[in-house]
């Protein structure tokens, strides 16, 4: 790998609950890549009751999208702190306006599109438990915490996300289908899209790892 090689800039795209966070954690473990989850950032602000947190809470609770200007400002700031590093965005962009704003400042190396059936997603989200401060995610029967109801690293209590209630999940799937799914075509046209379909993370992971390895080496 040549020293002058440009940084790897990637996005993981997929419906709510498709496994973006889970796959991102595997990528970070395997490769020298920094992970930015827009949802984790927003939940951090909500938990800490910052001005931003107070402003965005109603959107997350109801499964609606936070306004584009707010998201573009937040994520641009985050990316700035990673100058020259390889990064992977999870949950951003989610609209055409966000995608265009990102592409203008940082043309992407790769967009990983994760395609999991809605029926599988709905079942998974019923069983999701999260450690809010870190964003660590568990699923009963898939990756159980070592001690039931407790985070593996800190031992702190796990909670269910308010937006994992079935009605809100339906709203999020609808928002994804109408606002975010069209980005698949946008990125196809830019020749950066790679799609991976399956019912489980384990079944998709080898191909995803192989693809990223082509950019970053093993
Ligand atoms: P988020 O936080 O970006 P979503 O809805 O896009 O939320 P989510 O729910 O975080 O995505 P994920 O990261 O794709 O899902 O999935 P995950 O957490 O890794 O996996 C889901 C569950 O399945 C977990 O329990 C995991 O353990 C389990 N799992 C994974 N693989 C398997 C498997 O193979 N088998 C089984 N059985 N289980 C598995 O956004 C939240 C909100 O923030 C706002 C919006 O309001 C949004 O609704 N927001 C934005 N608004 C505007 N613009 C943006 N850019 C925004 N970004 C966030
Ligand atoms: Mg996530």
């Amino acid at each position: 790998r040549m020293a002058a090689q440009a940084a790897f800039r990637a996005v993981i795209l997929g419906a709510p609950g498709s496994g973006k966070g889970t796959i991102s954690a595997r990528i970070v473990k395997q490769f020298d890549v920094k992970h930015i989850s827009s949802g984790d950032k927003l939940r951090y602000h909500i938990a800490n009751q910052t001005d931003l947190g107070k402003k965005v809470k109603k959107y997350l609770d109801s499964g609606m999208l936070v306004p584009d200007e707010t998201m573009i400002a937040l994520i641009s700031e985050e990316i700035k702190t990673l100058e020259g590093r390889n990064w992977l965005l999870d949950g951003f962009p989610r609209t055409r306006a966000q995608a265009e704003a990102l592409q203008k400042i940082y043309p992407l190396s790769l967009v990983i599109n994760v395609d999991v059936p809605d029926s599988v997603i709905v079942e998974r989200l019923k069983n999701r438990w999260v450690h809010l401060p870190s964003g660590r995610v568990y699923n009963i029967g898939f990756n159980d915490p070592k001690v039931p109801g407790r985070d593996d690293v800190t031992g702190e209590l796990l909670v269910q996300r308010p937006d994992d209630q079935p009605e809100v999940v339906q709203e999020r799937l609808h928002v994804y289908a109408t606002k975010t799914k069209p980005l698949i075509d946008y990125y196809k046209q830019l020749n950066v899209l790679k799609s991976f379909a399956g019912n489980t993370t384990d079944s998709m992971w080898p191909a995803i790892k192989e693809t990223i390895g082509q950019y970053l080496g093993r």
Side-chain angles (χ1 to χ4, degrees):
R1 179 169 161 212
M2 290 189 302
Q5 190 177 334
F8 174 74
R9 293 164 175 163
V11 161
I12 184 161
L13 200 65
S18 58
K20 300 182 297 295
T22 303
I23 293 166
S24 297
R26 291 190 187 188
I27 292 172
V28 166
K29 218 168 149 195
Q30 187 82 30
F31 300 99
D32 176 27
V33 173
K34 289 281 176 188
H35 170 228
I36 301 177
S37 159
S38 57
D40 287 352
K41 295 282 173 219
L42 294 170
R43 281 183 290 277
Y44 177 87
H45 279 276
I46 292 172
N48 288 287
Q49 302 186 2
T50 67
D51 288 345
L52 176 64
K54 288 175 193 158
K55 207 166 90 180
V56 300
K57 185 176 188 307
K58 60 176 183 289
Y59 297 103
L60 277 90
D61 284 352
S62 63
M64 286 164 52
L65 293 183
V66 172
D68 285 335
E69 316 80 70
T70 308
M71 291 312 303
I72 292 167
L74 175 69
I75 299 300
S76 310
E77 279 306 309
E78 290 293 332
I79 295 175
K80 262 192 217 152
T81 68
L82 299 179
E83 195 58 56
R85 300 289 311 263
N86 300 321
W87 48 246
L88 170 68
L89 305 182
D90 156 6
F92 182 95
R94 258 180 157 89
T95 63
R96 179 76 184 227
Q98 292 178 17
E100 287 177 353
L102 178 65
Q103 191 64 20
K104 220 187 267 172
I105 18 177
Y106 299 106
L108 297 175
S109 320
L110 175 68
V111 175
I112 300 158
N113 177 42
V114 183
D115 190 357
V116 175
D118 281 5
S119 55
V120 173
I121 285 174
V122 167
E123 280 311 306
R124 273 184 197 180
L125 293 186
K126 287 181 194 161
N127 299 317
R128 171 160 63 181
W129 290 83
V130 296
H131 179 243
L132 279 180
S134 67
R136 274 185 291 277
V137 177
Y138 302 87
N139 206 268
I140 306 310
F142 171 66
N143 60 334
D144 293 271
K146 293 191 184 104
V147 177
R150 298 279 175 177
D151 177 46
D152 286 355
V153 177
T154 63
E156 290 167 352
L157 279 178
L158 300 175
V159 297
Q160 291 206 279
R161 277 171 44 176
D163 60 344
D164 279 347
Q165 295 164 50
E167 319 79 66
V168 186
V169 168
Q170 286 309 321
E171 174 63 18
R172 286 159 62 204
L173 287 169
H174 174 73
V175 168
Y176 177 77
T178 53
K179 303 268 175 58
T180 308
K181 216 169 173 208
L183 296 184
I184 292 173
D185 281 328
Y186 173 75
Y187 286 125
K188 238 184 227 164
Q189 278 165 23
L190 291 173
N191 270 315
V192 289
L193 189 86
K194 294 264 163 65
S195 286
F196 304 88
N199 285 2
T200 65
T201 295
D202 287 347
S203 70
M204 291 182 276
W205 173 240
I208 294 174
K209 185 167 118 183
E210 166 71 26
T211 299
I212 297 175
Q214 288 166 9
Y215 292 81
L216 293 177
R218 256 131 282 248

